[in-house]
Amino acid sequence: MAGKRLSRPFSHTVRKLPISDLVTVTARKLSRPSAISSRFFPQRALARLLNRHMPPQWRIELRNGWPLIFIPLLLFMQLLGPSPIWVALLISLVGLYATGYFWVRNQVLQIFFERHREGAMLVVGDSLQERFVVRNDSALPLHWLEFADSSLLPGYNPRQVVSCGGGSSYQWRAEAHCTQRGVFRLGPHVLRTGDPFGFFSLEVVDPRSELLLVYPRVAHIPTLALPRGSLSGQDRRRRAHTGSERSQAVRAYRPGDSLRHVHWPTSAKQGELVVTDVETEPSGDLWIVLDVNRLVQSGRGEESSLETGIVLAASVAAEFLSGGERRSVGLLAAPAADASLFQTDGGLAPARQIFPETIPAGNETGVRSSNGDRGHVQPPSTLLVDVPPQPGKGQVWRILAALAPVNAGDLSLGELLRRSRGLFSAGQTVLAVTPDIGGGVEDWTAELLHLRRAGVPASVLAVTPASAGDAPVPGDDPAEIPPDETPEDFLSQDALADEPESFPERTGEDAQANLIDILARYEIPLRFLQAGTRLTPALTYRRTRTVLRTTPSGGVVAHEVEEEVG
């Protein structure tokens, strides 16, 4: 958030004072209590009188003031023709207003409100339940009390009007069905009450709020084909394992190669560093790269490719972190900057940072990116969600918390992979989840080949549109390309760019066939899944909740219901 702008000192020369500062100074002058402000703003003076010695969150307002016009009229009638009737009416009117003000004034700091959220974890499809308690410690009853909430959870409106006797309490419950993942705000809320005559109102503003995290669904997914050579998750090594047996082949030195692999005799002959090629076995660390580029998304709601991709990313993470084949799993995505992220009570949500963008050489301004390159921070339109690979079930909730507020961004999958090269290390595996099976295939396929050349094999999970006309491949019968051994020679990014005829602009069945042909040529495992495919929930737990039911006689019976949430 940008810092507040500091106003310049007030000057007698009005021409040198900016308009914004002039407005600020004028507003400050008008807000000061003075005889002039009281004369021209009687309502402000009356509000100041009614709320004298009141806490800042409590406020008394005059709701109905039109009967007060009878006070000068009754005084005038008494002066014209003195009569006990005018005096009785005058005393009754003033007495009613005094009683009403005393009523609401007596309830100041005597009303206590509590709200409790039941359930620590909520997933899409679960129900949010809150319990509200109002306690009136005043001797006077609350004939009506309005609770107005400003929560941002879709479909949730716990607004209620209740009554409470003196020295007693009242409680009620509210429930909402969580149909959308994300980070939502519960609160703040306002309590309003008044006197029995309707002259005055008492308003209590509670600025406190709570952030609610609704996790995305986790489902059972078809078996994924990761590149061959990946170790089983039962191997607890967390670093890339390099074989001790050196091969006979040598290659040019690349940044990141160990100096102990340098073949010094050959390097001396060729005049440049040459290293001995060794067999590298991926350690099982898996990076899930989620494509959220808004230009390639299709559909709306749960049938959209964005929601399906998020569910697939969450499901893959849960499968490889807590399933039979356990790995260290990480997440990488680039959503829009307006997606809010926070640190939860359990510390599950990772920190977000603005994606650095490389700037031309010679420009000394900027910041250092994660791979050491100097860059400047681009306008806050894209954020980087970076959850490093770690093992264990706790990593599942960290990834789910990072996926919850993700929305569509402006960065393509190819550009995301290009800017994140420094995050991947040799021996890790990349799983790209993308709905881009059209014109952007050339870009992100070239990046996957670049990663494979650096020792990072890749696999692709393509999300096809939910429309039957655009996606003839059904979700329950996915097309799969069996993985083969990585070839010794493959096209580099430059050679790939020289073959534009291999990446035609196609849609629907032709686009899928073209993607299968491209990835099969470079032996990158591929699987299709149609957006909106109904998958069996995998993240479930049993809980007990209380259900209130009314009887024909007007009573209320409480039942304990045990249910499975997923």
Side-chain angles (χ1 to χ4, degrees), residues 11 43 100 175 223 240 270 299 302:
S11 175
Q43 294 181 354
E175 184 176 354
T223 304
Q270 297 185 3
E302 295 184 357

Side-chain angles (χ1 to χ4, degrees), residues 154-177:
Y156 184 52
N157 184 18
R159 184 186 183 96
Q160 189 80 4
V161 179
V162 300
S163 61
C164 184
S168 61
S169 62
Y170 182 86
Q171 64 177 345
W172 75 95
R173 295 176 180 269
E175 184 176 354
H177 189 64

Side-chain angles (χ1 to χ4, degrees), residues 517-536:
D517 179 66
I518 294 174
L519 297 186
R521 185 184 312 172
Y522 305 119
E523 303 194 15
I524 298 177
L526 169 67
R527 177 175 287 276
F528 286 106
L529 191 69
Q530 187 176 3
T533 302
R534 300 300 177 184
L535 301 174
T536 305

Side-chain angles (χ1 to χ4, degrees), residues 424-442:
F424 310 119
S425 59
Q428 294 179 337
T429 304
V430 169
L431 174 63
V433 182
T434 176
D436 187 7
I437 59 177
V441 173
E442 176 181 358

